[in-house]
Amino acid sequence: MRFLRSLLFNLIFLPFTALTCVLGQVLLLGPPARLHAYVRAWARAVLWLLRVICGIDARIEGREHLPPGAAIIAAKHQSTFDTIIWLLVVDRPAYVLKQELMNLPLWGALARRCGHIAVERDGGAAALRGMVRNSQAVLAEGRKVVIFPEGTRTQPGERALYHPGVAAMAMASGAPLVPVATDSGRYWGRLAFHKQPGTIIVAILPPLPAGLPRAALMERLEAAIEGETERLYR
């Protein structure tokens, strides 16, 4: 039964997403707010499908820790779910994502129009400066930036290197840095076909203190995210 549910979800999710990208091209000519609302509707539909077909729900903890206005959300990344949920939790989020995704036909055009921030992972210092500059422009609009500090999805219980770009963004902008933990990989794993029924928890933690040196900021960020993620898996 779990196999059939996972198969049905994929058979709907993938064509539905492709159709959304195709139909969304006409919105490129209109104001970004209209496109943001369109993408938000797609996200809401996907999570509805996930709940109805696969029995996977989501619970957001700690919404009170999200400051109003501009902020940097540094989130644990274990699942495709993590790239969807923030479209519904905050208004007009801008994701930091790899340049290759921006080059995808149709999808890339929508992502650029939504103001997502592309970064060339092998671009060195120039790529870091570009990411910081683009994130400052987004934050100046009062929007929130979502970044996955590990830069890739990890398996439950696995840690990857935390990249210092998130600290550079926070220090350059002065925006609040909000750590986020999740157990999404328990139910919708990295590259996993099968999806386990249950409730994904997204735990939003208090913003880190302002003015920390880079090394201390990275240490506090990783400790907060990994410590809370371990708690969710107990």
Side-chain angles (χ1 to χ4, degrees):
M1 180 63 70
R2 186 182 55 173
F3 171 83
L4 293 177
R5 288 188 174 194
S6 299
L7 177 62
L8 178 59
F9 175 80
N10 285 339
L11 288 175
I12 297 175
F13 169 64
L14 297 176
F16 173 59
T17 299
L19 180 62
T20 299
C21 291
V22 172
L23 298 179
Q25 300 304 301
V26 69
L27 296 178
L28 295 174
L29 303 176
R34 191 170 298 167
L35 181 57
H36 280 290
Y38 177 76
V39 174
R40 188 180 180 94
W42 166 83
R44 187 176 291 109
V46 170
L47 294 191
W48 180 83
L49 289 170
L50 196 64
R51 182 174 65 254
V52 171
I53 298 174
C54 299
I56 298 177
D57 209 340
R59 184 170 79 243
I60 312 298
E61 299 180 349
R63 286 179 186 266
E64 68 275 11
H65 297 313
L66 281 175
I72 300 168
I73 297 169
K76 185 73 175 174
H77 191 18
Q78 295 184 337
S79 169
T80 301
F81 168 89
D82 309 320
T83 66
I84 300 172
I85 188 62
W86 294 105
L87 296 168
L88 300 177
V89 176
V90 301
D91 182 41
R92 300 181 301 129
Y95 287 86
V96 176
L97 38 81
K98 56 187 179 181
Q99 180 64 53
E100 299 95 285
L101 294 176
M102 290 292 206
N103 296 333
L104 290 175
L106 304 178
W107 191 94
L110 299 180
R112 284 191 295 272
R113 185 60 172 160
C114 285
H116 298 313
I117 301 165
V119 59
E120 185 63 56
R121 290 198 289 190
D122 298 324
L128 177 60
R129 288 193 297 269
M131 182 186 71
V132 170
R133 182 175 60 252
N134 293 334
S135 67
Q136 286 182 294
V138 170
L139 292 165
E141 298 175 359
R143 297 170 60 190
K144 290 178 172 61
V145 172
V146 178
I147 183 170
F148 303 111
E150 294 167 289
T152 187
R153 287 172 290 178
T154 57
Q155 301 284 4
E158 178 186 0
R159 292 193 186 193
L161 176 68
Y162 275 57
H163 298 283
V166 61
M169 289 169 50
M171 296 174 72
S173 65
L177 179 59
V178 182
V180 176
T182 187
D183 62 351
S184 59
R186 190 201 307 252
Y187 306 101
W188 185 351
R190 177 179 181 269
L191 304 179
F193 173 81
H194 289 98
K195 294 167 181 61
Q196 304 280 357
T199 300
I200 295 172
I201 299 175
V202 177
I204 303 170
L205 305 173
L208 297 181
L212 291 173
R214 178 173 298 191
L217 183 64
M218 291 302 299
E219 183 178 348
R220 292 279 294 270
L221 178 67
E222 183 171 355
I225 294 174
E226 297 300 333
E228 183 65 15
T229 298
E230 289 178 9
R231 185 192 69 81
L232 294 177
Y233 275 94
R234 289 177 192 150

